[in-house]
Amino acid sequence: QVQLVESGGGLVQAGGSLRLSCAASGRTFSNYALAWFRLVPGKEREFVASIRWSGGTTYYADSVKSRFTISRDNTKNTVYLQMNSLKPEDTAVYYCAAATPYSANPRATMVDYWGQGTQVTVSS
């Protein structure tokens, strides 16, 4: 059974940092993009960042470029999202996702597996 388990969310002040983790299990992800999306009530789910499991190519939404960094540890089957210089508008539930075939900017409809989500709240 495939599982994506997120951790690391919480409450932080504007300008602060958080690191989200996504532990993946249950299959290999050779041709997958492992991605982070976020959801704010009343808005559509928004792509944040992705990393190609094989090769490590990364891609970011313009809204987070230069502030967020996505990475992976193949030995731990874990993907990370380091979030720096956080802003109140980054407040959302963040979801880890696995999408195939690989696309740098996967649509939510391409996602095969979702995590349960982790809340990130940035106070002003």
Side-chain angles (χ1 to χ4, degrees), residues 6 20 34-50 59-65 67-68 70 81 83 86-97 104-109 111 114 117-118 120:
E6 302 104 331
L20 305 183
L34 273 291
W36 291 93
F37 289 78
R38 63 188 181 186
L39 182 63
V40 175
K43 295 188 176 182
E44 290 190 358
R45 199 184 302 254
E46 178 189 17
F47 167 81
V48 175
S50 73
Y59 186 82
Y60 299 90
D62 287 343
S63 58
V64 305
K65 205 173 292 184
R67 299 188 298 122
F68 291 10
I70 190 170
L81 185 68
M83 306 185 294
L86 282 161
K87 304 175 181 180
E89 51 264 43
D90 294 318
T91 295
V93 178
Y94 284 71
Y95 294 89
C96 181
N105 184 3
R107 297 183 300 276
T109 54
V111 173
W114 292 99
T118 185
V120 171

Side-chain angles (χ1 to χ4, degrees), residues 19-90:
R19 188 176 81 155
L20 305 183
S21 300
C22 172
S25 62
R27 66 160 298 139
T28 57
F29 294 95
S30 302
N31 194 36
Y32 277 78
L34 273 291
W36 291 93
F37 289 78
R38 63 188 181 186
L39 182 63
V40 175
K43 295 188 176 182
E44 290 190 358
R45 199 184 302 254
E46 178 189 17
F47 167 81
V48 175
S50 73
I51 186 165
R52 188 166 191 168
W53 192 257
S54 301
T57 302
T58 59
Y59 186 82
Y60 299 90
D62 287 343
S63 58
V64 305
K65 205 173 292 184
S66 80
R67 299 188 298 122
F68 291 10
T69 302
I70 190 170
S71 62
R72 78 198 189 300
D73 184 335
N74 287 357
T75 64
K76 296 181 179 180
N77 263 21
T78 300
V79 175
Y80 303 98
L81 185 68
Q82 178 66 44
M83 306 185 294
N84 298 328
S85 302
L86 282 161
K87 304 175 181 180
E89 51 264 43
D90 294 318

